[in-house]
Amino acid sequence: MRRGFKISLEGIDGAGKTTQLRHVVSHLQDSGFNPMIKPCRNNTNSDELDGRLLSIIKRDEEMRRYPITDALASAARTLYVDEKIINPHLEKGGVVVADRDIDTAIAYSLPDLQKSYPEVDIDLHVTWMLGVYSVRHAMPDLTIYLDIAPERALSRALNDDIPNERIIFNDQDLVFMQSVQQGYSRLIERSPDRIYPIDVNDKSIDEVSEEISHHINRFINRRDLP
């Protein structure tokens, strides 16, 4: 059976990923697919391995002092979920849509790695983390990166009254968000055939949705070529 595919939405907090997730699912359904949304699995009280790992990552102060260990623990948790849930679904020909995926884990780990190990070039950090995650085709097949000015994203996040699981930033986190964007830029440079950036700063939700549909259609058409 032909392997399915995974589409991910990426971007810093406030970029509009959750809003566009609904559009991606609907568009795939209209195209004849039955997509599965990647489960969030952010329950630190879960007895399963990913829950136990997440509990350590979030609650262990010592872990935060060692960014390499923290990054590896996050990778272990992500790859466990992929091995248990995502890969079996893909191997049966299924389609998965993810609001954040492996690129998030890499981009959000880079600021701490750079701060703790400034003598190491950022590209070496990226190469190392891509190597860790590139096991058993865990990377998405298509990634849509919603590119937004950090100041605008920060304003959206701070004024968002809808309860969700994303981090609500304060003004002091602007530098962090800029560093995360640098990480995304490095990933886009590495994978231009997989990651497609969309400038969402001055576009309506419908305009962004239209661009996303274009990239999905092009991906599906290219995938169907003999």
Side-chain angles (χ1 to χ4, degrees):
M1 181 177 293
R2 187 181 186 188
R3 182 183 173 89
F5 58 86
K6 178 167 65 171
I7 296 177
S8 65
L9 288 171
E10 290 288 351
I12 60 177
D13 294 83
K17 298 180 299 301
T18 303
T19 298
Q20 293 300 334
L21 180 73
R22 293 188 289 271
H23 167 73
V24 172
V25 170
S26 177
H27 182 75
L28 287 169
Q29 289 172 336
D30 291 342
S31 300
F33 297 97
N34 183 26
M36 177 185 82
I37 297 176
K38 182 177 180 178
C40 184
R41 298 180 71 92
N42 273 346
N43 182 9
T44 57
N45 295 319
S46 170
D47 289 332
E48 293 192 61
L49 180 59
D50 59 320
R52 299 199 303 272
L53 285 169
L54 182 61
S55 178
I56 295 171
I57 292 168
K58 285 192 172 184
R59 297 172 182 172
D60 195 315
E61 293 293 333
E62 185 179 15
M63 177 80 76
R64 299 190 188 122
R65 296 200 297 270
Y66 299 95
I68 288 179
T69 305
D70 185 59
L72 287 172
S74 296
R77 176 177 172 269
T78 298
L79 293 172
Y80 167 79
V81 174
D82 270 24
E83 285 285 294
K84 180 170 182 172
I85 299 174
I86 305 303
N87 278 334
H89 186 71
L90 294 174
E91 287 164 3
K92 293 177 182 177
V95 174
V96 176
V97 179
D99 178 355
R100 294 183 177 275
D101 201 63
I102 290 169
D103 295 290
T104 293
I106 296 175
Y108 275 77
S109 293
L110 284 172
D112 283 341
L113 288 170
Q114 288 181 270
K115 182 178 178 180
S116 298
Y117 315 106
E119 72 281 1
V120 178
D121 186 83
I122 183 174
D123 287 320
L124 291 178
H125 286 307
V126 173
T127 298
W128 173 68
M129 295 199 72
L130 282 172
V132 170
Y133 280 100
S134 296
V135 178
R136 287 208 64 202
H137 195 67
M139 301 300 291
D141 299 280
L142 171 67
T143 296
I144 305 296
Y145 173 66
L146 304 182
D147 190 10
I148 187 171
E151 296 84 357
R152 185 170 295 192
L154 176 62
S155 177
R156 285 186 184 182
L158 289 175
N159 290 288
D160 191 353
D161 294 327
I162 301 173
N164 54 50
E165 295 181 352
R166 72 187 180 196
I167 300 171
I168 301 301
F169 288 98
N170 57 49
D171 292 337
Q172 296 178 346
D173 292 309
L174 180 59
V175 173
F176 175 77
M177 294 173 79
Q178 291 169 335
S179 297
V180 170
Q181 279 198 322
Q182 290 176 5
Y184 275 123
S185 296
R186 291 298 203 283
L187 290 167
I188 292 169
E189 290 172 5
R190 294 290 188 95
S191 305
D193 294 330
R194 173 178 69 85
I195 307 176
Y196 294 93
I198 296 177
D199 186 340
V200 303
N201 285 288
D202 298 310
K203 292 174 182 165
S204 67
I205 292 174
D206 288 342
E207 287 173 328
V208 175
S209 297
E210 185 176 347
E211 282 198 52
I212 290 174
S213 296
H214 168 74
H215 288 301
I216 291 175
N217 291 341
R218 189 170 66 171
F219 166 76
I220 291 172
N221 291 335
R222 185 177 63 203
R223 186 173 182 270
D224 288 340
L225 290 175

